[in-house]
Amino acid sequence: MMKSFLPDKVYDILVWIALVALDAVGVCYKAIAEIWHLPFGNEILGTCAALSLCLGILLGVSKAQYKK
């Protein structure tokens, strides 16, 4: 069996960041930016969503290759 590139704990943290944290931060900032008229609400939300998607895909591919 192939040895994992990432330790399990690091993998679990990255999955949590990809699936929960980045989306939560982006949506929270967007909402606060609308209320307080802060700059770059859409840009920060879009950036968080793009990073979340990219990280999620990379972790999914990594998991699929590991299971082979």
Side-chain angles (χ1 to χ4, degrees), residues 2-58:
M2 184 177 161
K3 183 172 165 72
S4 177
F5 177 72
L6 294 172
D8 289 343
K9 182 81 170 170
V10 173
Y11 176 82
D12 291 341
I13 290 169
L14 289 174
V15 167
W16 181 83
I17 289 170
L19 297 179
V20 178
L22 283 171
D23 293 330
V25 168
V27 170
C28 182
Y29 183 81
K30 172 67 174 156
I32 291 170
E34 298 246 341
I35 294 167
W36 291 99
H37 307 292
L38 299 174
F40 307 113
N42 288 330
E43 291 83 355
I44 290 173
L45 176 60
T47 301
C48 287
L51 290 172
S52 176
L53 177 64
C54 183
L55 187 56
I57 289 171
L58 292 173

